[in-house]
Amino acid sequence: MNMLKVALLQIAPGKTLGENLEKGIRYCEMAKAGGADLALFPEMWSNGYNIYGRPVEEWQAEAVEGNGDFVNAFGSLAKELNMAIGITLLEKCENAPRNSLVLFDRFGERKLVYAKVHTCDFDVERNLTPGENFFVTELDTARGAVKVGVMICYDREFPESARILMLKGAELVLVPNACPMEINRLSQLRARAFENMLAIATCNYPETVPDCNGGSSVFDGVAYLPGLKGSRDTCILQADGKEGIYVAELDLEQLRRYREKEVHGNAYRHPKKYGALTDTKMEAPFIRENYRE
């Protein structure tokens, strides 16, 4: 079986960039020792998503270069460990920082850089630069190639995010997170996996981090199996609140067989009828003034 081992690093950050670098390296090494093919960090690991209750200028100054020493250390580590790594950061940008993920393959090659599109503009994240697009890359792993895309936290709440990634060929979507993973947010992830026939791996901070509660998860997106009456639970991993490394095994061959014959995803869409989704002039009573195109 073509089982891809995804390690969710549900770990608490330190107080400095150096501490997070050291701890991040250590936990990646532990993930590899446990057989992981890919390790994923929670949202904005470089500063531990420490942006609330602080002067904006103070935390913005903690942004690091996307091609700087902190990020490149994980590229070198990926090559050393022969393991893909999704490292997250508060990334320097021309006007305001970005909430980003850099994905390295097992050879240390930078395969994807994604900046959070749906920044939480109702709160302090309004001081970030949102990303402009969603990307999918073919990631070479020890278990073979897998097509990977990324959403970050609040992106999850917009079905369009996962839908675009599916249309671009994603089989696995990585979701760094920094908020309480309660039943409704977990239901969103379950729905995104089900309706797009793809796997979704979410990594959150543990319950010791303010406004977080662990609950990292993996949904494999396969709702029906031959010979199984009715549907199955697509959740193959649900972490508790404790700090640790949580590893899920994804059956890629099973997912691909499922996508070939089932009716979700792109099978029966009517895209010509969805014009209202991209019509910025459409009005609704709950549209806020700070709506971004």
Side-chain angles (χ1 to χ4, degrees):
M1 284 205 275
N2 195 13
M3 304 296 283
L4 180 74
K5 291 188 176 182
V6 180
L8 306 178
L9 308 185
Q10 186 173 287
I11 54 179
K15 295 181 179 179
T16 68
L17 180 69
E19 289 179 11
N20 291 338
L21 175 61
E22 186 277 330
K23 185 170 185 177
I25 290 173
R26 180 158 44 91
Y27 270 81
C28 283
E29 292 172 341
M30 293 165 62
K32 177 61 179 181
D37 301 300
L38 187 158
L40 176 64
F41 283 86
E43 185 176 6
M44 209 185 288
W45 174 253
S46 66
N47 85 330
Y49 200 78
N50 185 17
I51 64 176
Y52 282 91
R54 303 172 62 197
V56 172
E57 297 78 11
E58 181 178 288
W59 62 258
Q60 284 184 334
E62 296 172 353
V64 298
E65 296 285 352
N67 196 26
D69 292 344
F70 176 83
V71 173
N72 288 336
F74 289 97
S76 298
L77 182 65
K79 182 177 182 179
E80 176 187 333
L81 298 178
N82 193 42
M83 179 183 74
I85 298 175
I87 180 63
T88 59
L89 65 148
L90 179 64
E91 181 189 8
K92 279 187 179 179
C93 194
E94 185 176 355
N95 296 314
R98 306 196 308 174
N99 183 343
S100 301
L101 176 143
V102 178
L103 180 62
F104 292 101
D105 69 11
R106 65 191 176 107
F107 305 111
E109 181 180 344
R110 184 182 300 245
K111 299 298 292 185
L112 180 153
V113 179
Y114 171 72
K116 187 175 185 178
V117 168
H118 299 100
T119 48
C120 299
D121 293 344
F122 51 82
D123 211 322
V124 67
E125 280 196 5
R126 70 173 64 94
N127 298 291
L128 295 171
T129 298
E132 294 294 332
N133 207 342
F134 295 94
F135 307 99
V136 172
T137 187
E138 184 167 278
L139 187 69
D140 188 319
T141 77
R143 309 295 174 181
V146 57
K147 293 181 179 178
V148 179
V150 181
M151 305 187 295
I152 296 180
C153 200
Y154 193 48
D155 285 327
R156 164 201 66 245
E157 306 205 12
F158 298 85
E160 296 85 354
S161 305
R163 182 65 77 181
I164 290 170
L165 290 170
M166 178 275 294
L167 291 172
K168 290 185 174 184
E171 299 172 302
L172 168 64
V173 176
L174 306 178
V175 187
N177 194 80
C179 70
M181 291 310 301
E182 42 77 54
I183 188 171
N184 297 295
R185 289 174 175 137
L186 288 167
S187 296
Q188 288 174 327
L189 294 167
R190 185 188 297 274
R192 300 295 89 82
F194 172 74
E195 65 200 9
N196 292 295
M197 296 194 295
L198 46 74
I200 295 185
T202 302
C203 184
N204 196 25
Y205 286 103
E207 60 193 4
T208 55
V209 176
D211 201 38
C212 292
N213 66 342
S216 297
S217 63
V218 177
F219 295 89
D220 69 5
V222 179
Y224 309 105
L225 288 176
L228 180 67
K229 185 177 181 180
S231 64
R232 63 183 281 273
D233 187 355
T234 64
C235 183
I236 62 170
L237 184 149
Q238 178 70 65
D240 58 21
K242 296 181 177 62
E243 180 172 70
I245 300 172
Y246 296 83
V247 180
E249 294 188 356
L250 278 174
D251 188 337
L252 295 176
E253 293 177 1
Q254 175 180 272
L255 175 62
R256 288 163 182 162
R257 289 194 301 269
Y258 180 76
R259 287 161 68 107
E260 288 175 354
K261 63 183 181 62
E262 277 299 339
V263 301
H264 309 295
N266 196 34
Y268 294 100
R269 293 173 64 246
H270 293 262
K272 292 182 180 179
K273 301 176 182 179
Y274 306 153
L277 290 175
T278 57
D279 185 352
T280 58
K281 296 180 181 179
M282 290 287 290
E283 294 184 359
F286 51 84
I287 295 257
R288 295 179 183 269
E289 293 180 0
N290 63 356
Y291 168 75
R292 287 184 189 264
E293 292 188 4

mmCIF file of all heavy atoms in Angstrom, residues 6-13 23 26-28 30-31 39-42 45 202-209 213-217 237 239-248:
data_model
loop_
_atom_site.group_PDB
_atom_site.id
_atom_site.type_symbol
_atom_site.label_atom_id
_atom_site.label_comp_id
_atom_site.label_asym_id
_atom_site.label_seq_id
_atom_site.Cartn_x
_atom_site.Cartn_y
_atom_site.Cartn_z
ATOM 1 N N VAL A 6 2.077 11.505 7.337
ATOM 2 C CA VAL A 6 2.065 12.954 7.551
ATOM 3 C C VAL A 6 2.141 13.232 9.050
ATOM 4 O O VAL A 6 1.284 12.777 9.818
ATOM 5 C CB VAL A 6 0.787 13.590 6.971
ATOM 6 C CG1 VAL A 6 0.785 15.098 7.199
ATOM 7 C CG2 VAL A 6 0.667 13.275 5.483
ATOM 8 N N ALA A 7 3.167 13.970 9.467
ATOM 9 C CA ALA A 7 3.360 14.297 10.878
ATOM 10 C C ALA A 7 2.897 15.715 11.156
ATOM 11 O O ALA A 7 3.377 16.674 10.539
ATOM 12 C CB ALA A 7 4.833 14.148 11.259
ATOM 13 N N LEU A 8 1.948 15.859 12.065
ATOM 14 C CA LEU A 8 1.446 17.162 12.492
ATOM 15 C C LEU A 8 2.197 17.557 13.763
ATOM 16 O O LEU A 8 2.089 16.881 14.790
ATOM 17 C CB LEU A 8 -0.055 17.088 12.739
ATOM 18 C CG LEU A 8 -0.882 16.537 11.567
ATOM 19 C CD1 LEU A 8 -2.350 16.466 11.947
ATOM 20 C CD2 LEU A 8 -0.685 17.367 10.311
ATOM 21 N N LEU A 9 2.961 18.639 13.699
ATOM 22 C CA LEU A 9 3.782 19.074 14.830
ATOM 23 C C LEU A 9 2.956 20.015 15.707
ATOM 24 O O LEU A 9 3.020 21.230 15.594
ATOM 25 C CB LEU A 9 5.055 19.763 14.326
ATOM 26 C CG LEU A 9 5.885 18.973 13.304
ATOM 27 C CD1 LEU A 9 7.175 19.726 12.976
ATOM 28 C CD2 LEU A 9 6.188 17.565 13.790
ATOM 29 N N GLN A 10 2.149 19.431 16.553
ATOM 30 C CA GLN A 10 1.267 20.196 17.454
ATOM 31 C C GLN A 10 2.084 20.608 18.682
ATOM 32 O O GLN A 10 2.015 19.988 19.742
ATOM 33 C CB GLN A 10 0.057 19.347 17.844
ATOM 34 C CG GLN A 10 -0.986 20.101 18.667
ATOM 35 C CD GLN A 10 -2.231 19.288 18.901
ATOM 36 O OE1 GLN A 10 -3.025 19.098 17.974
ATOM 37 N NE2 GLN A 10 -2.436 18.796 20.102
ATOM 38 N N ILE A 11 2.877 21.651 18.515
ATOM 39 C CA ILE A 11 3.851 22.031 19.532
ATOM 40 C C ILE A 11 3.737 23.506 19.882
ATOM 41 O O ILE A 11 3.300 24.326 19.072
ATOM 42 C CB ILE A 11 5.288 21.701 19.080
ATOM 43 C CG1 ILE A 11 5.601 22.326 17.719
ATOM 44 C CG2 ILE A 11 5.469 20.198 19.018
ATOM 45 C CD1 ILE A 11 7.016 22.070 17.217
ATOM 46 N N ALA A 12 4.120 23.832 21.112
ATOM 47 C CA ALA A 12 4.056 25.212 21.602
ATOM 48 C C ALA A 12 5.334 25.955 21.241
ATOM 49 O O ALA A 12 6.430 25.401 21.325
ATOM 50 C CB ALA A 12 3.860 25.221 23.113
ATOM 51 N N PRO A 13 5.224 27.214 20.837
ATOM 52 C CA PRO A 13 6.406 27.978 20.455
ATOM 53 C C PRO A 13 7.183 28.475 21.661
ATOM 54 O O PRO A 13 6.678 28.513 22.783
ATOM 55 C CB PRO A 13 5.812 29.158 19.679
ATOM 56 C CG PRO A 13 4.475 29.372 20.325
ATOM 57 C CD PRO A 13 3.981 27.987 20.681
ATOM 58 N N LYS A 23 13.648 24.351 18.382
ATOM 59 C CA LYS A 23 12.590 23.387 18.691
ATOM 60 C C LYS A 23 12.006 22.787 17.421
ATOM 61 O O LYS A 23 11.712 21.587 17.358
ATOM 62 C CB LYS A 23 11.498 24.056 19.519
ATOM 63 C CG LYS A 23 10.425 23.079 19.991
ATOM 64 C CD LYS A 23 9.492 23.706 21.015
ATOM 65 C CE LYS A 23 8.509 22.701 21.572
ATOM 66 N NZ LYS A 23 7.630 23.268 22.631
ATOM 67 N N ARG A 26 14.327 20.140 16.143
ATOM 68 C CA ARG A 26 14.283 18.961 17.008
ATOM 69 C C ARG A 26 13.034 18.117 16.740
ATOM 70 O O ARG A 26 13.098 16.876 16.668
ATOM 71 C CB ARG A 26 14.334 19.412 18.474
ATOM 72 C CG ARG A 26 14.286 18.287 19.493
ATOM 73 C CD ARG A 26 14.878 18.735 20.826
ATOM 74 N NE ARG A 26 14.415 20.054 21.214
ATOM 75 C CZ ARG A 26 13.332 20.284 21.968
ATOM 76 N NH1 ARG A 26 12.624 19.270 22.415
ATOM 77 N NH2 ARG A 26 12.989 21.514 22.305
ATOM 78 N N TYR A 27 11.907 18.770 16.576
ATOM 79 C CA TYR A 27 10.675 18.019 16.355
ATOM 80 C C TYR A 27 10.599 17.424 14.948
ATOM 81 O O TYR A 27 9.999 16.366 14.744
ATOM 82 C CB TYR A 27 9.450 18.877 16.674
ATOM 83 C CG TYR A 27 9.046 18.747 18.127
ATOM 84 C CD1 TYR A 27 9.698 19.478 19.114
ATOM 85 C CD2 TYR A 27 8.052 17.868 18.516
ATOM 86 C CE1 TYR A 27 9.355 19.350 20.459
ATOM 87 C CE2 TYR A 27 7.690 17.717 19.847
ATOM 88 C CZ TYR A 27 8.350 18.455 20.815
ATOM 89 O OH TYR A 27 8.005 18.303 22.144
ATOM 90 N N CYS A 28 11.217 18.081 13.986
ATOM 91 C CA CYS A 28 11.300 17.479 12.659
ATOM 92 C C CYS A 28 12.143 16.205 12.707
ATOM 93 O O CYS A 28 11.795 15.187 12.086
ATOM 94 C CB CYS A 28 11.900 18.463 11.658
ATOM 95 S SG CYS A 28 10.761 19.746 11.082
ATOM 96 N N MET A 30 12.490 14.276 15.266
ATOM 97 C CA MET A 30 11.676 13.272 15.944
ATOM 98 C C MET A 30 10.618 12.700 15.001
ATOM 99 O O MET A 30 10.324 11.493 15.025
ATOM 100 C CB MET A 30 11.027 13.887 17.179
ATOM 101 C CG MET A 30 12.011 14.264 18.276
ATOM 102 S SD MET A 30 11.290 15.364 19.540
ATOM 103 C CE MET A 30 9.994 14.332 20.202
ATOM 104 N N ALA A 31 10.030 13.567 14.169
ATOM 105 C CA ALA A 31 9.029 13.105 13.211
ATOM 106 C C ALA A 31 9.647 12.116 12.229
ATOM 107 O O ALA A 31 9.059 11.079 11.905
ATOM 108 C CB ALA A 31 8.420 14.289 12.476
ATOM 109 N N ALA A 39 6.389 16.710 7.332
ATOM 110 C CA ALA A 39 6.104 17.321 8.632
ATOM 111 C C ALA A 39 5.500 18.696 8.414
ATOM 112 O O ALA A 39 6.001 19.480 7.598
ATOM 113 C CB ALA A 39 7.380 17.433 9.466
ATOM 114 N N LEU A 40 4.431 18.991 9.155
ATOM 115 C CA LEU A 40 3.719 20.257 9.021
ATOM 116 C C LEU A 40 3.690 21.001 10.348
ATOM 117 O O LEU A 40 3.374 20.418 11.389
ATOM 118 C CB LEU A 40 2.283 20.005 8.547
ATOM 119 C CG LEU A 40 1.361 21.232 8.439
ATOM 120 C CD1 LEU A 40 1.883 22.204 7.383
ATOM 121 C CD2 LEU A 40 -0.063 20.801 8.133
ATOM 122 N N PHE A 41 3.998 22.299 10.303
ATOM 123 C CA PHE A 41 3.967 23.157 11.483
ATOM 124 C C PHE A 41 2.618 23.866 11.610
ATOM 125 O O PHE A 41 1.903 24.046 10.621
ATOM 126 C CB PHE A 41 5.064 24.221 11.391
ATOM 127 C CG PHE A 41 6.440 23.709 11.711
ATOM 128 C CD1 PHE A 41 7.225 23.123 10.727
ATOM 129 C CD2 PHE A 41 6.953 23.812 13.002
ATOM 130 C CE1 PHE A 41 8.496 22.646 11.014
ATOM 131 C CE2 PHE A 41 8.217 23.338 13.306
ATOM 132 C CZ PHE A 41 8.997 22.752 12.312
ATOM 133 N N PRO A 42 2.275 24.319 12.831
ATOM 134 C CA PRO A 42 1.097 25.177 12.984
ATOM 135 C C PRO A 42 1.360 26.557 12.388
ATOM 136 O O PRO A 42 2.488 26.867 11.968
ATOM 137 C CB PRO A 42 0.893 25.243 14.507
ATOM 138 C CG PRO A 42 2.225 24.897 15.086
ATOM 139 C CD PRO A 42 2.909 23.997 14.110
ATOM 140 N N TRP A 45 4.759 29.761 12.612
ATOM 141 C CA TRP A 45 5.650 29.192 13.619
ATOM 142 C C TRP A 45 6.809 30.126 13.975
ATOM 143 O O TRP A 45 7.295 30.111 15.103
ATOM 144 C CB TRP A 45 6.175 27.837 13.141
ATOM 145 C CG TRP A 45 7.205 27.253 14.059
ATOM 146 C CD1 TRP A 45 8.546 27.144 13.851
ATOM 147 C CD2 TRP A 45 6.963 26.726 15.372
ATOM 148 N NE1 TRP A 45 9.160 26.573 14.931
ATOM 149 C CE2 TRP A 45 8.203 26.301 15.888
ATOM 150 C CE3 TRP A 45 5.818 26.559 16.157
ATOM 151 C CZ2 TRP A 45 8.343 25.726 17.145
ATOM 152 C CZ3 TRP A 45 5.956 25.982 17.413
ATOM 153 C CH2 TRP A 45 7.198 25.585 17.894
ATOM 154 N N THR A 202 -4.580 19.179 9.043
ATOM 155 C CA THR A 202 -4.565 20.444 9.775
ATOM 156 C C THR A 202 -3.701 20.329 11.013
ATOM 157 O O THR A 202 -3.861 19.396 11.808
ATOM 158 C CB THR A 202 -5.995 20.846 10.190
ATOM 159 O OG1 THR A 202 -6.803 20.950 9.012
ATOM 160 C CG2 THR A 202 -5.998 22.175 10.921
ATOM 161 N N CYS A 203 -2.791 21.287 11.200
ATOM 162 C CA CYS A 203 -1.917 21.292 12.370
ATOM 163 C C CYS A 203 -2.165 22.543 13.197
ATOM 164 O O CYS A 203 -1.983 23.668 12.711
ATOM 165 C CB CYS A 203 -0.448 21.235 11.944
ATOM 166 S SG CYS A 203 0.691 21.118 13.339
ATOM 167 N N ASN A 204 -2.576 22.360 14.436
ATOM 168 C CA ASN A 204 -2.904 23.450 15.346
ATOM 169 C C ASN A 204 -1.874 23.499 16.481
ATOM 170 O O ASN A 204 -1.091 22.575 16.682
ATOM 171 C CB ASN A 204 -4.302 23.226 15.928
ATOM 172 C CG ASN A 204 -4.890 24.473 16.567
ATOM 173 O OD1 ASN A 204 -4.528 25.593 16.234
ATOM 174 N ND2 ASN A 204 -5.816 24.284 17.492
ATOM 175 N N TYR A 205 -1.907 24.588 17.248
ATOM 176 C CA TYR A 205 -1.107 24.668 18.464
ATOM 177 C C TYR A 205 -1.803 23.907 19.596
ATOM 178 O O TYR A 205 -3.033 23.783 19.605
ATOM 179 C CB TYR A 205 -0.927 26.130 18.883
ATOM 180 C CG TYR A 205 0.049 26.897 18.020
ATOM 181 C CD1 TYR A 205 -0.402 27.783 17.048
ATOM 182 C CD2 TYR A 205 1.419 26.747 18.191
ATOM 183 C CE1 TYR A 205 0.496 28.499 16.260
ATOM 184 C CE2 TYR A 205 2.320 27.460 17.409
ATOM 185 C CZ TYR A 205 1.852 28.332 16.443
ATOM 186 O OH TYR A 205 2.742 29.036 15.666
ATOM 187 N N PRO A 206 -1.055 23.420 20.571
ATOM 188 C CA PRO A 206 -1.651 22.692 21.699
ATOM 189 C C PRO A 206 -2.426 23.613 22.629
ATOM 190 O O PRO A 206 -2.382 24.843 22.505
ATOM 191 C CB PRO A 206 -0.443 22.070 22.399
ATOM 192 C CG PRO A 206 0.685 22.982 22.077
ATOM 193 C CD PRO A 206 0.428 23.478 20.682
ATOM 194 N N GLU A 207 -3.107 23.018 23.581
ATOM 195 C CA GLU A 207 -3.989 23.754 24.482
ATOM 196 C C GLU A 207 -3.243 24.700 25.428
ATOM 197 O O GLU A 207 -3.862 25.578 26.042
ATOM 198 C CB GLU A 207 -4.823 22.767 25.306
ATOM 199 C CG GLU A 207 -3.988 21.823 26.159
ATOM 200 C CD GLU A 207 -4.778 20.663 26.729
ATOM 201 O OE1 GLU A 207 -5.984 20.541 26.402
ATOM 202 O OE2 GLU A 207 -4.195 19.871 27.491
ATOM 203 N N THR A 208 -1.929 24.569 25.544
ATOM 204 C CA THR A 208 -1.145 25.475 26.382
ATOM 205 C C THR A 208 -0.932 26.832 25.738
ATOM 206 O O THR A 208 -0.490 27.773 26.401
ATOM 207 C CB THR A 208 0.224 24.849 26.692
ATOM 208 O OG1 THR A 208 0.862 24.498 25.459
ATOM 209 C CG2 THR A 208 0.078 23.616 27.568
ATOM 210 N N VAL A 209 -1.255 26.950 24.455
ATOM 211 C CA VAL A 209 -1.114 28.212 23.732
ATOM 212 C C VAL A 209 -2.442 28.956 23.776
ATOM 213 O O VAL A 209 -3.490 28.364 23.519
ATOM 214 C CB VAL A 209 -0.690 27.951 22.268
ATOM 215 C CG1 VAL A 209 -0.643 29.243 21.472
ATOM 216 C CG2 VAL A 209 0.670 27.259 22.238
ATOM 217 N N ASN A 213 -6.406 24.878 21.129
ATOM 218 C CA ASN A 213 -6.803 23.709 21.929
ATOM 219 C C ASN A 213 -6.344 22.392 21.329
ATOM 220 O O ASN A 213 -6.903 21.338 21.623
ATOM 221 C CB ASN A 213 -8.323 23.682 22.096
ATOM 222 C CG ASN A 213 -9.046 23.462 20.774
ATOM 223 O OD1 ASN A 213 -8.475 23.654 19.695
ATOM 224 N ND2 ASN A 213 -10.314 23.050 20.840
ATOM 225 N N GLY A 214 -5.314 22.447 20.490
ATOM 226 C CA GLY A 214 -4.904 21.206 19.837
ATOM 227 C C GLY A 214 -5.930 20.787 18.803
ATOM 228 O O GLY A 214 -6.393 21.593 18.006
ATOM 229 N N GLY A 215 -6.294 19.510 18.819
ATOM 230 C CA GLY A 215 -7.321 19.034 17.892
ATOM 231 C C GLY A 215 -6.862 18.946 16.450
ATOM 232 O O GLY A 215 -7.694 18.955 15.534
ATOM 233 N N SER A 216 -5.550 18.871 16.225
ATOM 234 C CA SER A 216 -5.061 18.681 14.857
ATOM 235 C C SER A 216 -5.717 17.434 14.252
ATOM 236 O O SER A 216 -6.030 16.478 14.965
ATOM 237 C CB SER A 216 -3.541 18.522 14.866
ATOM 238 O OG SER A 216 -2.911 19.699 15.361
ATOM 239 N N SER A 217 -5.920 17.459 12.948
ATOM 240 C CA SER A 217 -6.721 16.388 12.347
ATOM 241 C C SER A 217 -6.282 16.074 10.927
ATOM 242 O O SER A 217 -5.639 16.892 10.264
ATOM 243 C CB SER A 217 -8.206 16.784 12.327
ATOM 244 O OG SER A 217 -8.398 17.931 11.511
ATOM 245 N N LEU A 237 -7.436 10.808 11.811
ATOM 246 C CA LEU A 237 -6.641 11.250 12.958
ATOM 247 C C LEU A 237 -7.316 12.447 13.608
ATOM 248 O O LEU A 237 -7.733 13.379 12.911
ATOM 249 C CB LEU A 237 -5.221 11.626 12.534
ATOM 250 C CG LEU A 237 -4.245 12.031 13.658
ATOM 251 C CD1 LEU A 237 -2.824 11.640 13.292
ATOM 252 C CD2 LEU A 237 -4.295 13.541 13.952
ATOM 253 N N ALA A 239 -6.279 14.641 17.059
ATOM 254 C CA ALA A 239 -5.400 14.788 18.220
ATOM 255 C C ALA A 239 -6.187 15.324 19.413
ATOM 256 O O ALA A 239 -7.230 15.966 19.264
ATOM 257 C CB ALA A 239 -4.253 15.734 17.888
ATOM 258 N N ASP A 240 -5.664 15.079 20.605
ATOM 259 C CA ASP A 240 -6.214 15.715 21.791
ATOM 260 C C ASP A 240 -5.544 17.088 21.948
ATOM 261 O O ASP A 240 -4.974 17.611 21.000
ATOM 262 C CB ASP A 240 -6.018 14.832 23.022
ATOM 263 C CG ASP A 240 -4.553 14.487 23.297
ATOM 264 O OD1 ASP A 240 -3.658 15.214 22.815
ATOM 265 O OD2 ASP A 240 -4.294 13.494 23.996
ATOM 266 N N GLY A 241 -5.588 17.663 23.132
ATOM 267 C CA GLY A 241 -5.048 19.001 23.315
ATOM 268 C C GLY A 241 -3.578 19.067 23.657
ATOM 269 O O GLY A 241 -2.994 20.154 23.716
ATOM 270 N N LYS A 242 -2.958 17.930 23.861
ATOM 271 C CA LYS A 242 -1.586 17.903 24.370
ATOM 272 C C LYS A 242 -0.546 18.161 23.275
ATOM 273 O O LYS A 242 -0.777 17.868 22.106
ATOM 274 C CB LYS A 242 -1.305 16.563 25.045
ATOM 275 C CG LYS A 242 -2.155 16.299 26.280
ATOM 276 C CD LYS A 242 -1.810 14.969 26.909
ATOM 277 C CE LYS A 242 -2.608 14.723 28.187
ATOM 278 N NZ LYS A 242 -4.059 14.682 27.925
ATOM 279 N N GLU A 243 0.592 18.688 23.712
ATOM 280 C CA GLU A 243 1.706 18.892 22.795
ATOM 281 C C GLU A 243 2.250 17.541 22.342
ATOM 282 O O GLU A 243 2.348 16.599 23.140
ATOM 283 C CB GLU A 243 2.813 19.686 23.480
ATOM 284 C CG GLU A 243 4.018 19.957 22.585
ATOM 285 C CD GLU A 243 5.024 20.891 23.207
ATOM 286 O OE1 GLU A 243 5.691 20.477 24.170
ATOM 287 O OE2 GLU A 243 5.133 22.032 22.741
ATOM 288 N N GLY A 244 2.603 17.450 21.070
ATOM 289 C CA GLY A 244 3.168 16.215 20.577
ATOM 290 C C GLY A 244 3.197 16.152 19.064
ATOM 291 O O GLY A 244 2.781 17.096 18.373
ATOM 292 N N ILE A 245 3.691 15.045 18.564
ATOM 293 C CA ILE A 245 3.716 14.760 17.131
ATOM 294 C C ILE A 245 2.629 13.732 16.846
ATOM 295 O O ILE A 245 2.611 12.654 17.442
ATOM 296 C CB ILE A 245 5.083 14.219 16.691
ATOM 297 C CG1 ILE A 245 6.181 15.245 16.990
ATOM 298 C CG2 ILE A 245 5.075 13.865 15.210
ATOM 299 C CD1 ILE A 245 7.584 14.715 16.755
ATOM 300 N N TYR A 246 1.738 14.071 15.943
ATOM 301 C CA TYR A 246 0.628 13.183 15.602
ATOM 302 C C TYR A 246 0.775 12.772 14.139
ATOM 303 O O TYR A 246 0.807 13.619 13.253
ATOM 304 C CB TYR A 246 -0.707 13.883 15.851
ATOM 305 C CG TYR A 246 -0.923 14.221 17.311
ATOM 306 C CD1 TYR A 246 -0.378 15.386 17.865
ATOM 307 C CD2 TYR A 246 -1.624 13.365 18.148
ATOM 308 C CE1 TYR A 246 -0.553 15.688 19.217
ATOM 309 C CE2 TYR A 246 -1.799 13.655 19.492
ATOM 310 C CZ TYR A 246 -1.260 14.822 20.017
ATOM 311 O OH TYR A 246 -1.430 15.105 21.363
ATOM 312 N N VAL A 247 0.875 11.478 13.903
ATOM 313 C CA VAL A 247 1.168 10.960 12.567
ATOM 314 C C VAL A 247 -0.037 10.210 12.010
ATOM 315 O O VAL A 247 -0.596 9.328 12.665
ATOM 316 C CB VAL A 247 2.393 10.024 12.589
ATOM 317 C CG1 VAL A 247 2.682 9.489 11.184
ATOM 318 C CG2 VAL A 247 3.618 10.765 13.132
ATOM 319 N N ALA A 248 -0.413 10.589 10.790
ATOM 320 C CA ALA A 248 -1.489 9.896 10.076
ATOM 321 C C ALA A 248 -0.910 9.222 8.846
ATOM 322 O O ALA A 248 0.019 9.738 8.216
ATOM 323 C CB ALA A 248 -2.579 10.882 9.673
#
